[in-house]
Amino acid sequence: MAIRRMRRMLDAFLVPVALGTVSTLVLAQLAMQVPRVRDHVEAMVQTHTVISVQTGTPPGVAEATGSIVLMADSAARAANVIVFRNGVSLGPFTTDEMQILVHSGDVISFRDTTPAGPPVTIYVQDGDSDMLYPVTGETITLGNGAGTASLEPVGFF
């Protein structure tokens, strides 16, 4: 009994609200068919401020630079590894450590000239504090059949 009474009260309230909403939408669509009304509405829209949303890399991040320090587990085996930044050779390891200047989006890759030789592991020993990628401690292992590898693209906060 109480449920019926509640349904009647909701119907008595919701049905007029729904009909009023539909009627308003139909009237607005009909009004927009009149050329003078449509021109007036378009003129009002053009005078209002438009907010644009920018996409892409923020300007400060696009020019971000830093350096990463790569450490090899063996200087002798690392001498066979050529380091590339964006496909441009930076040369092989001359010691067990190499510091590289990087920009946002740079890709550091490696090629082992003796891929069938003994393995060599290269660690990202250090990076700038505002660098997201590559992370300190990330490792790449070359040799034992693996001739090439690359780190994630460089990213900054």
Side-chain angles (χ1 to χ4, degrees):
M1 196 66 109
I3 293 176
R4 273 191 198 159
R5 191 174 36 207
M6 183 185 269
R7 275 186 46 198
R8 276 191 231 141
M9 284 178 33
L10 283 174
D11 286 346
F13 176 73
L14 290 179
V15 169
V17 169
L19 288 174
T21 303
V22 170
S23 300
T24 302
L25 287 173
V26 169
L27 288 174
Q29 291 296 320
L30 288 174
M32 287 301 289
Q33 299 302 316
V34 178
R36 283 185 73 178
V37 173
R38 186 177 331 140
D39 292 342
H40 182 68
V41 169
E42 287 176 358
M44 285 178 29
V45 169
Q46 290 176 358
T47 61
H48 285 70
T49 305
V50 176
I51 298 173
S52 67
V53 177
Q54 292 182 345
T55 59
T57 306
V61 174
E63 295 88 29
T65 61
S67 65
I68 60 172
V69 177
L70 303 172
M71 177 73 83
D73 61 352
S74 166
R77 290 190 309 253
N80 297 323
V81 176
I82 300 172
V83 181
F84 296 88
R85 179 180 54 218
N86 298 328
V88 177
S89 174
L90 301 175
F93 279 83
T94 54
T95 65
D96 63 344
E97 187 175 294
M98 180 183 277
Q99 184 171 5
I100 302 172
L101 179 66
V102 291
H103 297 75
S104 184
D106 284 354
V107 176
I108 305 299
S109 55
F110 308 91
R111 189 181 79 213
D112 191 347
T113 58
T114 58
V120 58
T121 303
I122 300 168
Y123 305 91
V124 176
Q125 183 183 24
D126 193 17
D128 284 0
S129 61
D130 61 344
M131 190 179 299
L132 282 172
Y133 301 107
V135 296
T136 301
E138 188 172 348
T139 62
I140 296 289
T141 302
L142 297 166
N144 283 341
T148 60
S150 62
L151 297 170
E152 297 178 67
V154 175
F156 292 90
F157 285 107

